[in-house]
Amino acid sequence: VDAGSGTLRAVRDLTLTASNRVQVLCRAVNAATGASATTTVQLQRDLLQHTFLYFISPPLALVPETAGTGTLVLTAVAKSAFKQSQPRYSIISGNSQHVFVIDRQSGQIRTRLPLDFEGTSSYTISVMAEDAANFSRPAIAAVQIDVGNANDNPPVWHLLPQGAVVIPENWPPHTYLTTVQATDRDMSPLYYGIANQPATLFDISQKGEIKLGSLGVDYETSASYLLNVTCSDGVKTIYTTVVIRISDVNDNAPVFFPKKLSKVVAENEQPGLLVATVRATDADSGANSRISYVLLNDINGSLAINGTSGEVRLLHTIPFQRQHANKYFVTVLARDMGKPSLNSTLILMLDILDVNDHSPVFSQASYVFNISE
């Protein structure tokens, strides 16, 4: 003890009792009068000040999100220099939803609630170890628990065309039509496909872009298509339908059948005679398929045609001319109402038949012959 200040110091290791205490009797003396007083100082060595628990368990754990409740995640283990230490464990922070629970004696950390990678992919919890025997100071360790992603969520469509996709039939192959897209909470790669149409008609990229295939489309073959579009994450597959409507383009000219027609007309036929009826068809639709007929030549006004029905009638007789071949070639044109209009022609061959409608006629009124006897 310092005589002036009264500071009590230890000059060697203290021999403590079983209770870790020692008593020191101190006396103070007044140098002027000699009066004195005594007091007892009780000393207790603070073991906790110098001895700590320490963790030897790993600070990181990985558990799949499909792990059920009660799954062992990690075992916390703390040690002390004192063999008499009895660690007791608790989670003091980072476990606000009480997703995990720890066994106070064994230090086993287990899941208490289902895990969801898409909700929380990682937890950092603080685990404290306290000495139940009070030999050592408590220790705190941070434990990181990573949740392993599992492919447990199906893809979800988030971009689809609104209504049918309308395209003209003359769009070239590989033309872009529309896009479908899906998302996946598991961040799995997505694979798109068209289940019911060959790639030669329609194709889809891995970005969900739908394009015409290598053949293109034809309104006259099919006016609409229903595409069964799929999206898969490798485990789960979702489906949707995309309607493609084809609009008609005037890409077909009228077609006569047959392309040539022969008729015989007597020279004495009366006006109004139905000489022939021509027919043409057009593979297009609507105005693109409506046909009107005209004569490009009419034998000097002898013929007329009904522009709608294709009926060719005689306007006046066609005289038989002995010095000519008496064959006429009439060109009939059929044109549609498309824009631009398309057309085709037919050759109508008419044979003019001679009719016995004239009596014999002498070339002169009388004939004189001399006959010798």
Side-chain angles (χ1 to χ4, degrees):
V1 65
D2 184 278
S5 64
T7 301
L8 181 65
R9 298 177 185 277
V11 295
R12 60 181 175 83
D13 288 341
L14 298 177
T15 301
L16 301 180
T17 65
S19 62
N20 291 319
R21 293 182 176 89
V22 65
Q23 290 184 346
V24 179
L25 182 62
C26 298
R27 185 176 66 177
V29 179
N30 189 319
T33 64
S36 65
T38 59
T39 186
T40 300
V41 178
Q42 180 173 290
L43 301 177
Q44 178 178 354
R45 185 168 67 180
D46 188 358
L47 297 176
L48 299 177
Q49 185 178 359
H50 302 288
T51 307
F52 295 88
L53 285 166
Y54 57 93
F55 280 91
I56 63 171
S57 53
L60 179 66
L62 175 64
V63 58
E65 64 174 327
T66 53
T69 57
T71 299
L72 178 62
V73 177
L74 178 75
T75 298
V77 179
K79 295 291 185 180
S80 171
F82 284 93
K83 294 182 179 180
Q84 299 93 329
S85 291
Q86 300 175 17
R88 293 292 183 267
Y89 303 94
S90 61
I91 300 174
I92 61 174
S93 67
N95 193 31
S96 59
Q97 301 299 320
H98 302 290
V99 177
F100 304 99
V101 64
I102 190 170
D103 186 276
R104 284 189 57 78
Q105 293 187 356
S106 67
Q108 290 184 343
I109 301 174
R110 296 180 180 273
T111 57
R112 178 178 169 273
L113 298 175
L115 301 175
D116 182 24
F117 175 86
E118 291 71 36
T120 304
S121 60
S122 182
Y123 297 86
T124 300
I125 62 175
S126 295
V127 178
M128 183 171 69
E130 299 175 283
D131 188 356
N134 207 30
F135 281 103
S136 304
R137 285 185 177 275
I140 298 175
V143 177
Q144 181 176 325
I145 302 174
D146 290 335
V147 180
N149 190 20
N151 195 355
D152 58 345
N153 292 286
V156 176
W157 295 113
H158 83 96
L159 178 61
L160 294 172
Q162 300 298 311
V165 179
V166 181
I167 64 171
E169 62 174 326
N170 63 344
W171 273 10
H174 310 296
T175 300
Y176 168 82
L177 304 181
T178 188
T179 297
V180 297
Q181 284 185 349
T183 57
D184 190 291
R185 292 187 65 199
D186 300 314
M187 304 303 291
S188 302
L190 299 178
Y191 306 94
Y192 297 93
I194 299 176
N196 64 330
Q197 297 291 342
T200 52
L201 279 179
F202 299 97
D203 191 22
I204 188 170
S205 72
Q206 290 315 302
K207 293 182 179 179
E209 296 177 342
I210 298 176
K211 297 181 179 181
L212 287 176
S214 58
L215 295 182
V217 292
D218 180 42
Y219 175 87
E220 289 70 41
T221 301
S222 179
S224 66
Y225 296 87
L226 183 67
L227 309 186
N228 293 333
V229 181
T230 64
C231 178
S232 174
D233 62 5
V235 176
K236 297 177 174 62
T237 302
I238 58 175
Y239 302 86
T240 191
T241 56
V242 175
V243 177
I244 307 294
R245 297 197 190 281
I246 313 301
S247 61
D248 186 36
V249 172
N250 193 24
D251 57 350
N252 293 282
V255 176
F256 281 105
F257 185 82
K259 293 187 176 181
K260 291 183 179 181
L261 194 60
S262 297
K263 294 292 181 178
V264 176
V265 178
E267 63 174 331
N268 64 345
E269 292 289 0
Q270 297 301 309
L273 171 72
L274 178 62
V275 176
T277 300
V278 295
R279 289 281 188 272
T281 59
D282 194 305
D284 294 315
S285 64
N288 295 332
S289 66
R290 287 198 290 271
I291 298 172
S292 64
Y293 303 94
V294 295
L295 296 178
L296 297 185
N297 58 306
D298 56 7
I299 315 179
N300 298 319
S302 298
L303 300 174
I305 191 170
N306 185 301
T308 303
S309 67
E311 293 179 345
V312 180
R313 294 186 179 273
L314 195 65
L315 290 182
H316 56 76
T317 57
I318 304 175
F320 181 83
Q321 300 180 27
R322 191 176 303 277
Q323 66 273 21
H324 291 89
N326 291 296
K327 289 184 181 292
Y328 295 91
F329 296 92
V330 179
T331 302
V332 182
L333 180 136
R335 60 188 174 198
D336 59 32
M337 300 302 173
K339 295 181 180 180
S341 176
L342 301 178
N343 61 75
S344 62
T345 58
L346 172 143
I347 300 300
L348 174 61
M349 185 179 70
L350 298 182
D351 282 328
I352 307 304
L353 181 64
D354 184 26
V355 176
N356 190 13
D357 56 348
H358 294 90
S359 300
V361 176
F362 286 101
S363 59
Q364 57 190 50
S366 62
Y367 295 85
V368 176
F369 297 96
N370 293 319
I371 301 175
S372 61
E373 57 178 342

